[in-house]
Amino acid sequence: MTIGSAIGQKIGAAIVAPIGWLAAIIDAPLKLWQRATGTTGMAAFFLAPNMLIFGVFVLAPFVINFLYSTTSGNAFFLPDRSFVGAEQYQRLLECGSYLDPSTCREDLFWKAVHNTGLFVVLQVTLLIVVSMITALILNREIVGRSFWRAVFFFPVLLSPVVVGLIWRWILQRQGLLNSMLYQFGYQPTEWLTDRFWAFAAGITVSVWAHMGFFTLILLAGLQAIPRDLYEAAEMDGTRPGRVFWRITLPLLMPNLLVVIILALIRAVQIFDEVYVLTGGGPGTSTLFLTQYIYEVGFASLLRNPGLAAAASILMGAVLVVLTLVQLQVGRRNEKKGARE
Amino acid sequence: MKHKAKVLGLLAATLLASSAAFAGEVRVMWYSDGVEGEVIKDLLDRFQKENPDIKITLDNVAYKVVQEQLPIQLEAGQGPDIARVTNIKELASHWLDMRPMLKDAKYWDDNFGSTLDWMRPDGSDAIPGFMTQLTLTGGFANKTLFDQAGVAIPGEKATWDEWVDAAAQVSKNQSLPAAFAIDRSGHRISGPNVSYGANYIAADGSPAKVDDGVKAFGSKLVQWVADGKMLKETWVAAAGSTYRAAADDFINAQIPFYYSGSWQVANLSSKIGDGFDWVATGSPCGTAGCSGLKGGAALVGIKYTKNPNDVVKVMEYLGREDIVKEFSERTLFLPAHKGVVDKGGLKWVSTDKNVAPALDMFVKSAGQTLPAADALPSWKWANAYYAALVTRLSQVMAGEMKLDEAWAKMDQDIADKVAQAK
């Protein structure tokens, strides 16, 4: 036995010993508890702390939020507010045509719904494509591979506010991008005051900020694909495109589905970086659901917590659906993995 | 037994000591636009030296904290003991009525009486505090840019159209991005609206429908943005009623004319320095007059304080004529104290030659405000109106809706706020 391993063993024993003493101390009361309540009681005992935290920080706020959505008035505290039943929901859902926000009583809510829907479709599509391409490149034997992986992951570590500010300085009227365009003889573009460009900027910045995380998941999936499949395809002279569609994509599908669902959930919740970047403008072109809720509930000159709560419940319902889909996909993958 | 008594005695003494320290504590929530944070700290330090039994804690916070977090604290029956606020009327039910505790309530009625209605519930005679400054909306012109362009600065009775045309000539001559900007705020455009004949208040005190005055100036604003005369990003690059100032664009000489208010004087002076010459212009005229809009920030006691007597002592000190005078001179704020105003002779603490004429211009313009504008600071639906104006006009500017739709939406938004409050 070397000196190093002897020291390691002593340190290990020193760490394990107190745990053993603790186990011995709680052993007797736990046995008593189990005898009194049975195995079900033991499960409840071990789950209780987690359930308590879940109850206080998730369930109770949800219930309180729901109660708020059934009240009206300017008062902030629930007992001081008047009960109006489903009136806030009616107000949100009152529309001539759901396809035309201007016909809705709460037109800003529906504008936010439309913007969020369009954003989710475009951002998630672009995010998946860019993340996939990046993961495929980073999976190859390229020079400085670790460096490039770090580079692409770096934006994930930044605060969304920092992301928004950096891009605002780049895209504003006298920002970096327009200065560069001007240097090369082009006319400056209204990146943040033109409806089309502002929406495009929101998508681009959001993809830039989040792609590192999804690239990492896809990269892990790519590295789990057995190399011999590629070697066999190479020996058969299969074209690279066919290799991608017939080997890479099918075997990456479990990871890809998780990435899609997670990206969808994040896209529905989009707020901070785009809020800092555009403030929801021009007009309401980049006003998304979370910002609408924030503005109505907290930031407006005259707050309406009831309406904000009702909007957040409706948004929560969408997120629950997406989460259930994610769970279903996860379970299917698990079963598939078990069969294989 | 003896030991137990000793322990209990020690505990009681400790409790008494801690409660005594708590009893003398006054927490002040303060935000700053310019240098007033340093000035108030200096003034409170002097009070502290004279009154060692009162411990003052000055919390310098961002304006957003006062706007968004303080109302929630107040609803919870908490918050600081004294706060500097601009949302004065709507939160009036949370202010402390100092009248019964003041040594000389008449002094407060005489000197701050004209603005007390701004900060107390309708029909009340409470004295909740005083205005730390009176503000008046008005314009600023970059004199250097006007001179370089060879364009004369419009005279005192010049209309909004004349001002915008003159600024547009300067902008074109100097290759600037726009002729002018107005802060993105319903408060800021309300003076001009009134100048075009707007009246927000119906006969019964409730919000009136959007009238021709609002439509006249609102239409002009939209057209000026479409023509590239008004800086687009100030109003267009945000949603809802979010506040955006255009001061930085004026400070960076990107616009020759800027419509904001008297509170910008210290900011412009400190940031422009000797970069260029600037002048305050008062409010351009409309068809009904040349009105700005008065307003300001108030220092109020909070009724949930545990030390109301100490709060009143601090407020009595800060409301003293000599202290108000010193505060105004050092912060370059217009005083709201009648005695200070009547005596005049304020010696503005600034070496900037632009400052004194600018403040004098605002004092002069204060006499030109129209009654419809003077009624707004104490009107409880003012914020509902302001929010609707900003939200809908910026949608029109962004090309999302037509003006006719916007007027209807404004009426609906305001009606919803009134219904919500019932």
Side-chain angles (χ1 to χ4, degrees):
Chain A
M1 182 185 289
T2 62
I3 298 172
S5 63
I7 293 171
Q9 272 186 4
K10 279 190 178 169
I11 292 171
I15 293 169
V16 169
I19 298 171
W21 299 332
L22 188 67
I25 292 167
I26 62 171
D27 188 46
L30 281 179
K31 276 180 178 163
L32 271 175
W33 176 261
Q34 188 174 7
R35 209 169 293 153
T37 61
T39 46
T40 318
M42 283 306 284
F45 178 78
F46 285 117
L47 283 175
N50 201 15
M51 294 308 288
L52 189 71
I53 291 168
F54 179 79
V56 171
F57 293 106
V58 179
L59 202 59
F62 175 78
V63 171
I64 292 169
N65 195 38
F66 179 74
L67 291 174
Y68 264 102
S69 73
T70 60
T71 62
S72 179
N74 285 337
F76 193 77
F77 283 93
L78 209 46
D80 304 331
R81 298 174 59 78
S82 45
F83 178 76
V84 292
E87 199 178 280
Q88 304 285 17
Y89 294 94
Q90 275 174 350
R91 182 170 159 184
L92 285 175
L93 299 174
E94 193 181 318
C95 251
S97 161
Y98 290 117
L99 297 175
D100 180 5
S102 67
T103 63
C104 301
R105 169 92 186 276
E106 269 305 310
D107 61 321
L108 295 181
F109 171 75
W110 283 99
K111 186 77 187 162
V113 169
H114 280 230
N115 287 344
T116 308
L118 185 62
F119 181 85
V120 166
V121 171
L122 297 177
Q123 193 258 11
V124 172
T125 308
L126 191 64
L127 184 67
I128 300 298
V129 170
V130 173
S131 299
M132 175 68 94
I133 293 170
T134 313
L136 286 169
I137 293 169
L138 293 178
N139 194 38
R140 299 173 75 90
E141 295 293 330
I142 55 171
V143 178
R145 189 164 66 163
S146 300
F147 169 76
W148 291 113
R149 283 180 185 178
V151 165
F152 282 104
F153 191 72
F154 180 68
V156 179
L157 303 175
L158 295 177
S159 144
V161 175
V162 173
V163 169
L165 281 176
I166 289 173
W167 280 95
R168 197 164 147 186
W169 291 330
I170 293 172
L171 297 172
Q172 65 192 8
R173 176 169 46 84
Q174 291 178 302
L176 191 65
L177 186 56
N178 273 344
S179 300
M180 284 171 64
L181 286 174
Y182 190 74
Q183 291 292 325
F184 288 108
Y186 294 99
Q187 279 301 310
T189 302
E190 293 181 340
W191 303 108
L192 300 179
T193 52
D194 178 271
R195 282 190 288 166
F196 171 79
W197 286 119
F199 199 86
I203 291 173
T204 309
V205 170
S206 166
V207 168
W208 180 82
H210 298 294
M211 61 167 282
F213 175 71
F214 296 108
T215 300
L216 207 67
I217 299 176
L218 292 175
L219 193 58
L222 285 173
Q223 288 180 346
I225 298 174
R227 304 294 311 165
D228 50 356
L229 293 175
Y230 290 111
E231 285 162 10
E234 199 179 344
M235 285 169 71
D236 290 344
T238 317
R239 281 178 289 112
R242 197 171 167 80
V243 169
F244 175 76
W245 290 109
R246 296 292 174 152
I247 298 174
T248 307
L249 200 58
L251 291 174
L252 198 59
M253 201 47 85
N255 296 60
L256 200 56
L257 283 172
V258 170
V259 163
I260 290 170
I261 303 291
L262 285 178
L264 278 172
I265 293 171
R266 280 198 180 189
V268 173
Q269 293 173 317
I270 185 72
F271 174 51
D272 18 32
E273 60 256 31
V274 179
Y275 180 66
V276 174
L277 183 71
T278 65
T284 54
S285 306
T286 56
L287 175 72
F288 299 115
L289 262 175
T290 317
Q291 186 186 339
Y292 171 83
I293 293 164
Y294 165 70
E295 297 264 353
V296 172
F298 300 100
S300 167
L301 286 172
L302 289 173
R303 290 174 290 279
N304 189 343
L307 193 66
S312 71
I313 292 282
L314 293 179
M315 183 178 158
V318 174
L319 289 174
V320 165
V321 171
L322 289 174
T323 309
L324 288 175
V325 172
Q326 186 201 8
L327 284 174
Q328 192 61 32
V329 168
R331 280 190 196 135
R332 209 168 54 191
N333 286 342
E334 274 174 27
K335 279 182 191 167
K336 202 174 165 188
R339 276 202 302 272
E340 284 163 1
Chain B
M1 190 65 192
K2 212 172 176 182
H3 177 69
K4 197 184 268 181
K6 264 186 186 170
V7 171
L8 284 172
L10 196 65
L11 195 66
T14 313
L15 278 171
L16 274 174
S18 63
S19 65
F22 187 69
E25 187 173 354
V26 173
R27 191 167 277 275
V28 182
M29 183 184 272
W30 186 271
Y31 78 91
S32 297
D33 284 321
V35 296
E36 65 271 32
E38 295 155 37
V39 177
I40 195 74
K41 184 177 181 308
D42 182 34
L43 294 174
L44 288 174
D45 284 347
R46 274 156 40 189
F47 174 83
Q48 182 84 81
K49 275 183 192 157
E50 291 166 20
N51 300 273
D53 54 322
I54 300 175
K55 184 181 180 302
I56 298 180
T57 307
L58 180 67
D59 293 324
N60 272 303
V61 299
Y63 181 61
K64 213 174 170 65
V65 173
V66 177
Q67 284 294 84
E68 292 179 14
Q69 293 178 23
L70 181 64
I72 295 167
Q73 291 177 20
L74 295 175
E75 286 284 351
Q78 293 177 350
D81 301 293
I82 295 173
R84 184 177 189 232
V85 292
T86 54
N87 203 356
I88 310 167
K89 186 74 172 180
E90 270 172 44
L91 300 172
S93 60
H94 299 290
W95 309 151
L96 174 72
D97 179 9
M98 302 192 298
R99 184 179 288 278
M101 291 167 280
L102 287 167
K103 280 182 194 156
D104 184 4
K106 187 174 178 302
Y107 166 86
W108 287 69
D109 284 328
D110 291 346
N111 290 298
F112 299 113
S114 62
T115 53
L116 284 175
D117 271 344
W118 297 8
M119 61 184 85
R120 59 190 174 197
D122 289 344
S124 160
D125 74 338
I127 302 180
F130 65 97
M131 302 297 289
T132 56
Q133 93 243 52
L134 270 187
T135 59
L136 180 70
T137 58
F140 298 94
N142 183 326
K143 186 172 180 303
T144 303
L145 281 176
F146 271 85
D147 289 347
Q148 283 172 352
V151 177
I153 290 181
E156 277 183 32
K157 292 290 173 188
T159 62
W160 270 97
D161 289 319
E162 287 165 347
W163 263 106
V164 173
D165 286 345
Q169 286 177 46
V170 176
S171 164
K172 193 176 174 191
N173 180 278
Q174 299 291 302
S175 303
L176 302 175
F180 81 109
I182 301 181
D183 293 334
R184 190 179 194 273
S185 153
H187 171 268
R188 228 63 94 237
I189 60 167
S190 290
N193 281 348
V194 169
S195 297
Y196 279 87
N199 186 359
Y200 299 175
I201 309 173
D204 63 352
S206 63
K209 295 255 183 205
V210 165
D211 62 17
D212 289 343
V214 175
K215 290 177 184 175
F217 189 71
S219 309
K220 281 180 187 291
L221 273 184
V222 170
Q223 192 56 48
W224 286 329
V225 169
D227 295 344
K229 289 177 178 170
M230 181 161 128
L231 196 63
K232 191 177 180 184
E233 61 212 39
T234 312
W235 275 66
V236 177
S241 57
T242 306
Y243 172 71
R244 286 268 164 94
D248 286 345
D249 293 291
F250 184 75
I251 289 163
N252 292 321
Q254 294 296 300
I255 43 172
F257 180 57
Y258 170 44
Y259 192 78
S260 184
S262 58
W263 60 95
Q264 292 285 1
V265 170
N267 186 34
L268 299 186
S269 172
S270 66
K271 289 185 180 162
I272 294 171
D274 56 3
F276 58 81
D277 288 337
W278 53 274
V279 292
T281 65
S283 285
C285 300
T287 49
C290 318
S291 185
L293 187 65
K294 286 174 185 164
L299 194 67
V300 289
I302 308 295
K303 76 175 179 187
Y304 312 112
T305 179
K306 292 187 171 61
N307 308 309
N309 290 315
D310 293 329
V311 165
V312 170
K313 267 189 198 171
V314 177
M315 294 292 281
E316 279 180 326
Y317 163 76
L318 292 173
R320 253 168 43 190
E321 186 171 321
D322 58 324
I323 298 294
V324 169
K325 184 168 184 281
E326 182 183 340
F327 179 82
S328 302
E329 287 174 339
R330 290 174 64 184
T331 56
L332 310 181
F333 285 158
L334 304 179
H337 187 292
K338 188 170 183 296
V340 174
V341 175
D342 288 349
K343 283 176 190 160
L346 284 165
K347 294 186 183 70
W348 305 111
V349 181
S350 173
T351 53
D352 187 339
K353 66 179 191 303
N354 301 309
V355 164
L359 289 168
D360 290 344
M361 173 55 90
F362 276 107
V363 172
K364 190 176 167 190
S365 305
Q368 294 175 6
T369 55
L370 294 169
D374 292 339
L376 291 177
S378 61
W379 187 50
K380 69 174 180 174
W381 300 114
N383 278 340
Y385 229 106
Y386 298 159
L389 285 171
V390 175
T391 305
R392 299 307 179 179
L393 276 178
S394 16
Q395 280 187 276
V396 180
M397 289 169 186
E400 284 181 5
M401 62 168 63
K402 302 281 180 209
L403 271 168
D404 285 342
E405 280 177 76
W407 309 135
K409 288 285 183 192
M410 281 179 202
D411 285 335
Q412 181 65 55
D413 289 349
I414 296 162
D416 282 345
K417 299 288 184 196
V418 174
Q420 177 201 324
K422 282 180 180 167

